[in-house]
Amino acid sequence: RKRVTIGVAWTTGPSMILMDEPTTGLDANTSLGIFSSMRRTCDESKVPVIAALLQPSPEICNLFDNLLIMSRGKVAYFGPYSNAIKYFSSIGLEGHKFQSDPEFLQEAAEYAHKYQTTEDAPSTHEEVENRYRSSP
């Protein structure tokens, strides 16, 4: 049903597509297939897609041009997915060995104290947001 709904949205000739958790309840392969198709269609049509996702896989994140990480309604990071880990590391937050990058990014924005690697690293979501706001 979700794939049909997404397909119908493309046929109407939209100038933008907004999606709220389009892969909730779908398995990882189906979700990746949907986003891979959306990426190809987006590239061909030049129609931007904005999607809100909870716990996307690294493979899905790699399809994004930009990633917006929010914590309690505030921006903790906005930029290329490929730069997100470097950014969080630069402010003293690093993920655990057996954790996926998207999982770390989501958790670090909310629970920074669990990922601190330096004394001056942010320890609260407010501090993470303030660091992002003051970054170049």
Side-chain angles (χ1 to χ4, degrees):
R1 219 164 73 152
K2 288 184 185 213
R3 287 180 278 191
V4 171
T5 302
I6 292 167
V8 169
W10 282 108
T11 63
T12 62
S15 57
M16 175 186 297
I17 300 228
L18 302 172
M19 304 175 92
D20 185 19
E21 299 183 36
T23 57
T24 298
L26 301 178
D27 66 78
N29 281 338
T30 303
S31 297
L32 181 58
I34 287 173
F35 271 96
S36 294
S37 295
M38 285 185 0
R39 178 70 214 206
R40 282 190 302 278
T41 305
C42 188
D43 288 343
E44 293 167 5
S45 67
K46 305 298 184 216
V47 172
V49 173
I50 298 172
L53 299 173
L54 295 176
Q55 299 178 329
S57 70
E59 295 81 11
I60 288 176
C61 287
N62 280 322
L63 296 170
F64 301 154
D65 289 329
N66 288 299
L67 180 68
L68 172 64
I69 300 171
M70 299 186 75
S71 174
R72 301 185 192 196
K74 306 274 181 160
V75 176
Y77 174 81
F78 178 72
Y81 173 63
S82 59
N83 293 346
I85 295 297
K86 290 179 218 163
Y87 168 74
F88 277 86
S89 180
S90 77
I91 63 170
L93 302 175
E94 293 186 10
H96 303 298
K97 186 164 68 171
F98 298 108
Q99 186 175 40
S100 73
D101 288 346
E103 182 181 5
F104 159 68
L105 294 169
Q106 185 176 2
E107 287 219 347
E110 187 71 18
Y111 308 108
H113 66 280
K114 293 169 53 176
Y115 301 98
Q116 292 175 300
T117 59
T118 63
E119 284 186 28
D120 66 333
S123 62
T124 66
H125 68 92
E126 291 98 345
E127 290 174 3
V128 172
E129 296 152 12
N130 289 336
R131 288 282 181 95
Y132 178 75
R133 260 197 315 265
S134 64
S135 67

